[in-house]
Amino acid sequence: MAQAQLDLTANVPKPHHEQERRWQDYFGFSHDHKVIGIQYLVTAFFFYLVGGALATAVRTELATPDPDFVSPELYNSLFTVHGTVMIFLWIVPAGAGLANYLIPLMIGAKDMAFPRLNAVAFWLIPPGGTLLLASFLFEAPKAGWTSYPPLSILSGQVGEEIWILSVLLLGTSSILGGLNFAVTIFKMRIPTMGLNDMPLLCWAMIATSALILLSTPVLAAALILLSFDLLAGTSFFNPTGGGDPVVYQHLFWFYSHPAVYIMVLPFFGVISDVLPVHARKPIFGYQAIAYSSLAISFLGLIVWAHHMFTSGTPGWLRMFFMITTMIIAVPTGIKVFGWLATIWGGKLRLNSAMLFAMGFISTFVMGGVTGIMVASVPFDIHVHDTYFIVAHFHYVLFGGAVFGVFAAIYHWFPKMTGRMMNEPWGIVHFVLTFVGTNMTFMPMHALGLQGMPRRVAMYDPQFTTLNQVCTVGSYILAVSTIPFLINAAWSWFKGPKAPDNPWEALTLEWMTSSPPPIENFLVTPVLKTGPYDYGSRKTLAIRQRLKQMTGSRPKEVGVPLSEAKSSTVFTDDRSTTVVEPEKDIK
């Protein structure tokens, strides 16, 4: 009888929150948003290493004026695949991975709105990336990541078709992900969380999703038409048959300029979340930062032609796009001023997450200032297709995305793994990354102003010294990944165990265990404070009052909704607190 009872007990499935996640789960088709988020991040880091290796090969070739490391044809393929990998397989999936892991936790949801669609979106990435890298076995694309016709039509049909198919797979993944994020944020928030109670990463993902859904289908259409030109002999963009290659440029940049913001906006949200926690201050200008994301999203859709000032664009149209491009600096500047005001006077914790967040601001501002310069028609014509442009977009994308990724990893690693990362190794990682970034990309401004063209394997010997400085900087960047990889791997398995909320943060993801259970929260959480009310008298009073009346520690916020409704202490209105009227708070 006892044995029968034991067997019956064994057959009863455990509740979700008591089930343990196995390491095999991370290699299979899971619809848990946290597993998918980790899958995104690990896959993105793999391609970051691949893209970085390709960049190091490009810089090694450019250490001398002559093509003595690889052939010019292979050089063209190296920078083409490098650009494609870094954009479509590193930065965009890394942002999607962080959002996948964090958004449901931040809004108190059990999962994404469409869990299976979420898994499908991720599983489109490995075949897309594998296909692109496998092109080196047949015929690698060599027309650059823009794939402008007629160059792309003349440079090799097989390589270009592989590139097009790969980008279509990755673009489809991006569209599915964007749709899922938007529906999740609007429909899955806990009842007590209004739009203005959300963490700023949620606002950033709303803006990102809007851009993805509006612009990515246009790129898909352009690539399908280009594919017809390659395979079916049509002449949409082929000038020999009456096509217009400039039309392709319009379609391509209608997606690819907003793509800059698709890549950077999630990390604007990351920085907005990391800075207040480690500065121990409320974010300065919450609504201004939140709405500026929407403004960037809107303006990002009407500035694409500033990439085409030298493509025969009429003068009046140049003026329009010059002005709109410069205006986009306003919402971006609002964010930067908000971040600086948040840091100003704060009790800064100069740990790895904070250092990468501040490194993000400095490098992104550098890219933003040069962005204003290239928005100006006369200056853009002068530096068009020179290394000044390469320096500008690497400061924006490398500074704006890579520093953001690492700030996020150091900040949320304890939540994802239940382990703390090693701080000294993290600081070594930051110093090498910061030095390597500036040493690699800063001299490129001078190279561009002196007239060195980009996408060339051979150059005038007068540019040798600056190119060698860039190459040494790229080696430092390559070395900088070693302490991070060692730190991440060692900390994941052997690092000290992390408490549920090691940073004493106020957003909901820190109010569950580390790592979170399968459905995130054992009970529906209720907000006690705003997401960034650090050190405010109101929050301190709320926490003290809650502690006195409930006997719980202030950091425990997982209050059942049913309890909140029946209690005289809690309410479930849409304010940022659930305490009785503010007049009671001294």
Side-chain angles (χ1 to χ4, degrees), residues 164-241:
I164 289 171
L165 183 55
S166 173
V167 173
L168 284 175
L169 284 173
L170 300 172
T172 304
S173 164
S174 189
I175 291 172
L176 297 180
L179 176 68
N180 216 345
F181 286 129
V183 176
T184 301
I185 293 170
F186 282 116
K187 295 294 183 182
M188 304 284 284
R189 300 192 314 278
I190 56 174
T192 49
M193 181 180 284
L195 286 175
N196 286 330
D197 303 325
M198 295 191 304
L200 286 164
L201 178 60
C202 299
W203 278 104
M205 289 310 300
I206 290 174
T208 304
S209 300
L211 279 178
I212 290 173
L213 296 175
L214 290 172
S215 64
T216 309
V218 177
L219 174 68
L223 295 184
I224 290 171
L225 294 179
L226 180 61
S227 186
F228 286 162
D229 280 4
L230 283 163
L231 296 178
T234 56
S235 298
F236 292 105
F237 309 125
N238 190 347
T240 60

Side-chain angles (χ1 to χ4, degrees), residues 37 147 301:
S147 200
L301 289 169

Side-chain angles (χ1 to χ4, degrees), residues 5 61 68 79 134 174 198 207 213 215 251 260 270 296 335 357 360 383 386 406 431 454 482 513:
Q5 287 177 341
E61 170 54 51
D68 46 13
F79 75 70
S174 189
M198 295 191 304
L213 296 175
S215 64
L251 297 173
V260 173
V270 164
I296 290 172
K335 288 185 181 296
F360 170 98
V383 300
T386 70
F406 287 130
V431 171
R454 61 174 176 166
I482 296 174
S513 60

Side-chain angles (χ1 to χ4, degrees), residues 276-280 346-355 358 411 502-505:
V277 176
H278 297 286
R280 310 311 298 165
K347 297 177 180 177
L348 304 187
R349 298 169 177 160
L350 293 178
N351 52 23
S352 305
M354 189 65 169
L355 289 174
M358 292 194 294
H411 183 70
W503 313 125
E504 297 181 309

Side-chain angles (χ1 to χ4, degrees), residues 75-97:
Y75 176 85
N76 290 343
S77 296
L78 288 176
F79 75 70
T80 296
V81 178
H82 158 73
T84 309
V85 166
M86 286 304 204
I87 289 170
F88 295 106
L89 290 161
W90 157 234
I91 301 178
V92 174

Side-chain angles (χ1 to χ4, degrees), residues 45 59 85 102 127 134 136 168 210 329 332 399 456 571:
F45 266 101
R59 288 308 322 170
V85 166
L102 294 171
F136 281 107
L168 284 175
T332 309
V456 292
T571 66

